[in-house]
Amino acid sequence: MALYNFKKIMVVPTSKEFIDITLSKTQRKTPTVVHKHYQIHRIRHFYMRKVKFTQQNYHDRLSQILTDFPKLDDIHPFYADLMNVLYDKDHYKLALGQINIAKNLIDNVSKDYVRLMKYGDSLYRCKQLKRAALGRMCTIMKRQKQSLEYLEQVRQHLSRLPTIDPNTRTLLLCGYPNVGKSSFINKVTRADVEVQPYAFTTKSLFVGHMDYKYLRWQVVDTPGILDHPLEERNTIEMQAITALAHLRSAVLYVMDVSEQCGQTLEQQLELFNNIRPLFANKPLLIVANKCDVKKISELTEEDQKIFADLTAEGISVIETSTLTEEGVMTVKTEACDKLLAHRVDGKMKGKKVHDVLNRLHLAVPAKRDEKARPPFIPEGARIGRKTMEVDAPKRKTERDLEVEMGDDYILDLQKYWDLMNQDEKYDVIPEIWEGHNIADYIDPDIMKEELKVKDEEMQEIRQLAKQIREKRKLKIVCSKDKDVHGPRLPRTVKKVERKTLEKEMGDLGLDMTGKDDSHYAVNARRSRSVGVAKKRKREASVVPTSRTRSQSASRPPRDQSGVRDPKMAKQAKKLMKNQQKDMNRQGKKGEADRHVFDLKPKHLFSGKRKSGTNDHR
Amino acid sequence: MRIEKCYFCSGPVYPGHGTMFVRNDCMTFRFCKSKCLKNFKKKRNPRKTRWTKAFRKASGKELTVDNCLEFEKRRNVTVKYQRELWSKTVEAMRKVEGIKRKRQAQFIFNRLKKGKQLEKEEAISEVKKNIHLIKAPHAGKAKVLEEKMVQKLQEDVEMGDD
């Protein structure tokens, strides 16, 4: 049941469109090819299918229209009445009825022609039957042109109606045209209703929403009502009347004290009395608007008496000015309170309340002494509550400031900073120093330590080591410089001059003075006396007589030459044996034996044999 | 604005430099240059990559435990701005920085002292082995030796006589 969802109604096509859509759909969605020579049942089936398909389409579409449009009996009487006012109930019902009839007619047509087609005996006849059926259905639809147009317009208007919830808290504004109802709703809610100096600016109902006491309230703005009897009212006024009649709301009757609307106070009072019956059972409030122009106290005696009478009857009269916003909040709070009280009363009188009331129990702690313990409401909450009621602006926002200052405005967020010293707010705070974040070092803690002293012990040794290294390098360089081509001769071949020997040894720190009768000097003299640079020659002219004399006595045997004492001889022999040990162990012939024998070549010791075993290789 | 540390080489990442990688468990990794990022993608461990600070600290080549290093620490508590506190902090920062540098240098110096010890020993051994390149072994002792030998010969002769 589409209660308040008038926006979801499907588009109603015009009759021509309707026909076009359905016929083209039939053509597309049913098989198109049929031949004379087909079997007759197949031909019949083909054409029957087309007729049924068309009928189905029309039926579906029309049913959808019928269900989408709200039934005036099913919806809230407020909407029913409103729709009656706007679209004329009879016309509406008639249009829908016509659609329904069309639907039934189409069904009947289809049924008949399908029955007839069962007796069609040729392709031509079946085709003609189908043509006739479709033609009749389309004619039926052509006749619905007016209804469909009307329904489309209704649909469009319906979807634009304001969504007024008839059951929730509502404030209804009524009064003459131009008294300030739309201005009031603009002030109180976020609605933006057109306000103009001519009468009947508002031509339909408008809704605005506002909050009060944590609840959502609807404020309904109506078009102005003129003072004439009900029968003579036009559609626009009737909307206001409908709203007044059906919505359970608080009524705010707006009067223009300054009579700028073009009506005198008496006329306004007349109207008020005329529509008084509509205010039965509704909390009423009289809003004396435009009091910035003229206050009630400035009025004449008689006019003031009017208001006095009204107040005497128990209806509160509040002076407001939508221009200066004076009194607007008071009106709002009063009206809301009154309505709330009224609603609560209504609920209390009903039956449903008892179910809830029976389940509720307010537990009150028993008094243990006479001390009064009132509820504690903190000051902040009290202030907050008050501001919420009055709805005054709490503090000046940045936006307000910006608007005020215009071009001079600079966004300065640092003024809100809460620091220890308020005068440091505009300081430039350093963040980085030499690659370190200052934020990482917040607790200062200064400490110091002493530096170590270098020690100077090793100077001498270092110096000597340095000298040694230098000398070694020098020697290496000298030896490289010699540039000997060919085999190198041992050191002993060359004769050492006495001079060089003495010089070298002198450099090394030995005392080489007075060495005339040293061994090397004597030898040098002897060799000189004998002959200069005597080559070493083998003397094998004398046949050796005994083994012991097989070698020249002057030439000692090789294992004794250069050996000072038996200790050294022993050492030499040991050295020799040590040298040989390794080679003997490895079975080598001598030092020069570097050959690695391949005792088990892989190609002879691995792999399969072509025929035979591998026991022997 | 702060200078972050590169995850790989522990170098400074200035604002506007480097890249950041955010993993699915919301761990962020900042890198100062693409070299660090590429190494990270190759899943290299910064504690084993020799040129990073992490390696140096992990292998004890640089000062790790010292109370002057405790000053620079990211505290996740905001402190409201106070002019005198900030100015004092900046002063202290300078001093701490100086001391930290000296101490780091000292640490490295001490570490390299072992090298000096080794050099010392090497020098000693060098002298012991190859002194003959500069000085003859019996450089100052020739006379003494001669006298000793002479004395010995004389003794032999005397003994022969007896």
Side-chain angles (χ1 to χ4, degrees), chain A residues 250-293:
Chain A
V251 178
L252 279 79
Y253 185 75
V254 187
M255 296 180 78
D256 183 357
V257 184
S258 65
E259 299 178 358
Q260 274 183 352
C261 60
Q263 323 287 340
T264 62
L265 272 171
E266 285 84 22
Q267 286 173 317
Q268 295 186 34
L269 188 64
E270 263 298 310
L271 173 66
F272 177 72
N273 288 326
N274 279 343
I275 57 176
R276 197 81 187 264
L278 285 169
F279 300 158
N281 282 349
K282 295 193 175 78
L284 180 59
L285 208 73
I286 297 205
V287 180
N289 205 11
K290 304 194 191 173
C291 71
D292 53 311
V293 180

Side-chain angles (χ1 to χ4, degrees), chain A residues 418 424 427 429 431-433 435-437 440-443 445 447 458 465 468 471-472 508 510, chain B residues 1-3 67 71-73 75 80-81 83 89 93 97 99 120 126 130 133-136 138:
Chain A
D418 173 28
E424 291 172 2
D427 271 2
I429 303 174
E431 287 172 33
I432 292 170
W433 174 75
H436 301 279
N437 295 309
D440 290 344
Y441 291 78
I442 300 277
D443 318 317
D445 201 17
M447 271 169 47
M458 283 265 303
I468 290 170
K471 186 70 190 260
R472 195 199 273 145
L508 285 177
L510 283 171
Chain B
M1 200 117 70
R2 39 175 308 120
I3 297 173
N67 52 1
F71 289 114
E72 182 168 14
K73 190 171 51 158
R75 292 149 244 257
K80 280 198 184 170
Y81 174 74
R83 194 183 292 159
T89 307
M93 239 170 96
E97 222 14 65
I99 292 163
K120 184 184 189 181
E126 185 97 62
N130 298 322
L133 289 175
I134 310 177
K135 236 197 275 194
H138 300 299

Side-chain angles (χ1 to χ4, degrees), chain A residues 417-421 423-425 427-449 451-452 454 457-458 461-462 464-465 467-469 471-472 475 505 507-511 513 515, chain B residues 1-3 14 67 71-75 79-86 88-90 92-97 99-103 106 109 113 116 119-120 122-124 126-127 130-136 138-139 142-143:
Chain A
W417 283 5
D418 173 28
L419 300 174
M420 301 278 212
N421 311 334
D423 51 342
E424 291 172 2
K425 274 199 270 198
D427 271 2
V428 177
I429 303 174
E431 287 172 33
I432 292 170
W433 174 75
E434 274 211 10
H436 301 279
N437 295 309
I438 291 176
D440 290 344
Y441 291 78
I442 300 277
D443 318 317
D445 201 17
I446 305 162
M447 271 169 47
K448 266 213 162 118
E449 254 202 23
L451 294 167
K452 264 199 164 180
K454 259 203 280 187
E457 287 179 15
M458 283 265 303
I461 293 184
R462 269 187 231 276
L464 275 178
Q467 276 183 326
I468 290 170
R469 283 190 205 112
K471 186 70 190 260
R472 195 199 273 145
K475 284 194 124 181
M505 288 297 150
D507 284 341
L508 285 177
L510 283 171
D511 179 26
T513 57
K515 291 276 185 181
Chain B
M1 200 117 70
R2 39 175 308 120
I3 297 173
Y14 276 81
N67 52 1
F71 289 114
E72 182 168 14
K73 190 171 51 158
R74 186 184 183 145
R75 292 149 244 257
V79 179
K80 280 198 184 170
Y81 174 74
Q82 285 158 266
R83 194 183 292 159
E84 32 153 323
L85 178 65
W86 247 250
K88 272 200 198 146
T89 307
V90 171
M93 239 170 96
R94 292 203 179 109
K95 287 198 193 120
V96 166
E97 222 14 65
I99 292 163
K100 201 200 298 186
R101 283 198 193 143
K102 283 200 200 129
R103 285 202 196 173
Q106 190 56 37
F109 180 81
K113 263 206 292 198
K116 294 208 194 286
E119 267 177 50
K120 184 184 189 181
E122 223 183 271
I124 290 173
E126 185 97 62
V127 164
N130 298 322
I131 190 68
H132 62 271
L133 289 175
I134 310 177
K135 236 197 275 194
H138 300 299
K143 283 274 187 272

Side-chain angles (χ1 to χ4, degrees), chain A residues 56-87:
Chain A
Q56 193 72 37
N57 262 313
Y58 275 126
H59 183 99
D60 287 341
R61 272 261 160 133
L62 293 171
S63 316
Q64 193 188 38
I65 292 173
L66 287 172
T67 44
D68 273 348
F69 276 89
K71 270 209 272 241
L72 290 178
D73 307 322
D74 284 346
I75 53 182
H76 195 272
F78 164 65
Y79 276 105
D81 233 1
L82 194 62
M83 283 174 74
N84 179 21
V85 162
L86 291 169
Y87 319 127

Side-chain angles (χ1 to χ4, degrees), chain B:
Chain B
M1 200 117 70
R2 39 175 308 120
I3 297 173
E4 307 283 350
K5 261 160 75 77
C6 172
Y7 169 80
F8 200 81
C9 66
S10 315
V13 186
Y14 276 81
H17 290 254
T19 43
M20 177 161 89
F21 163 63
V22 183
R23 213 161 52 179
N24 274 355
D25 61 357
C26 302
M27 241 186 111
T28 58
F29 298 87
R30 287 173 195 269
F31 303 101
C32 58
K33 48 193 184 289
S34 64
K35 175 179 180 183
C36 300
L37 176 60
K38 283 178 184 164
N39 272 307
F40 176 81
K41 282 200 208 156
K42 289 188 179 162
K43 295 192 177 183
R44 289 203 184 142
N45 189 355
R47 293 170 142 257
K48 293 206 183 154
T49 317
R50 295 192 84 88
W51 52 274
T52 56
K53 259 296 191 256
F55 172 85
R56 303 208 90 224
K57 293 219 174 209
S59 57
K61 295 193 192 297
E62 291 213 345
L63 189 65
T64 11
V65 280
D66 195 47
N67 52 1
C68 72
L69 295 173
E70 298 299 313
F71 289 114
E72 182 168 14
K73 190 171 51 158
R74 186 184 183 145
R75 292 149 244 257
N76 289 325
V77 180
T78 44
V79 179
K80 280 198 184 170
Y81 174 74
Q82 285 158 266
R83 194 183 292 159
E84 32 153 323
L85 178 65
W86 247 250
S87 52
K88 272 200 198 146
T89 307
V90 171
E91 280 309 311
M93 239 170 96
R94 292 203 179 109
K95 287 198 193 120
V96 166
E97 222 14 65
I99 292 163
K100 201 200 298 186
R101 283 198 193 143
K102 283 200 200 129
R103 285 202 196 173
Q104 280 169 339
Q106 190 56 37
F107 181 83
I108 292 172
F109 180 81
N110 290 343
R111 188 165 62 88
L112 297 177
K113 263 206 292 198
K114 177 82 174 132
K116 294 208 194 286
Q117 174 71 26
L118 290 172
E119 267 177 50
K120 184 184 189 181
E121 283 165 15
E122 223 183 271
I124 290 173
S125 82
E126 185 97 62
V127 164
K128 271 203 192 141
K129 282 197 207 153
N130 298 322
I131 190 68
H132 62 271
L133 289 175
I134 310 177
K135 236 197 275 194
H138 300 299
K141 299 196 218 153
K143 283 274 187 272
V144 174
L145 257 175
E146 243 186 84
E147 280 164 24
K148 261 198 184 165
M149 268 172 63
V150 164
Q151 203 179 16
K152 215 168 176 224
L153 278 166
Q154 277 180 351
E155 278 174 20
D156 284 342
V157 162
E158 278 166 20
M159 290 209 18
D161 280 344
D162 298 336

Side-chain angles (χ1 to χ4, degrees), chain A residues 6-35:
Chain A
F6 299 145
K7 302 185 201 286
K8 287 257 181 85
I9 306 176
M10 284 287 280
V11 179
V12 180
T14 61
S15 70
K16 197 152 170 280
E17 258 179 42
F18 210 149
I19 296 169
D20 283 339
I21 290 168
T22 317
L23 287 181
S24 74
K25 205 163 181 188
T26 315
Q27 189 179 24
R28 278 180 295 126
K29 302 271 182 179
T30 53
T32 48
V33 178
V34 74
H35 291 292

